[in-house]
Amino acid sequence: MKVGINSDACIGSGQCVLTVPSVFTQDDDGFGMVLPGREDGAGDPLVKEAARACPVQAIEVSEA
């Protein structure tokens, strides 16, 4: 799995961090970002739930 956040789309709602804090964090401006080394989703099944919960669909999940 490969996980990313479209920084142009992110509005900083924080749903990703609330859902999977082991994979996502927020930068100094409050926008979501993937933690370094966690671009593979860390095997957490809730990554797909975080993508679904994002109000602007900024989380990109691929099975690459």
Side-chain angles (χ1 to χ4, degrees), residues 4-5 14 18 21 23 26 34 36-37 44-46 49 52-54 58 61:
I5 293 183
L18 290 171
V23 175
Q26 287 178 293
V34 178
D44 196 318
L46 288 177
E49 175 60 23
R52 189 200 63 75
C54 179
V61 178

Side-chain angles (χ1 to χ4, degrees), residues 35-63:
L35 287 166
R38 299 300 177 129
E39 295 85 0
D40 63 355
D44 196 318
L46 288 177
V47 169
K48 290 181 181 178
E49 175 60 23
R52 189 200 63 75
C54 179
V56 294
Q57 304 302 297
I59 299 172
E60 300 164 347
V61 178
S62 67
E63 296 299 328

Side-chain angles (χ1 to χ4, degrees), residues 5 10-36:
I5 293 183
C10 181
I11 61 171
S13 72
Q15 292 302 309
C16 56
V17 180
L18 290 171
T19 306
V20 195
S22 63
V23 175
F24 300 102
T25 189
Q26 287 178 293
D27 65 15
D28 292 338
D29 295 319
F31 295 104
M33 58 185 284
V34 178
L35 287 166

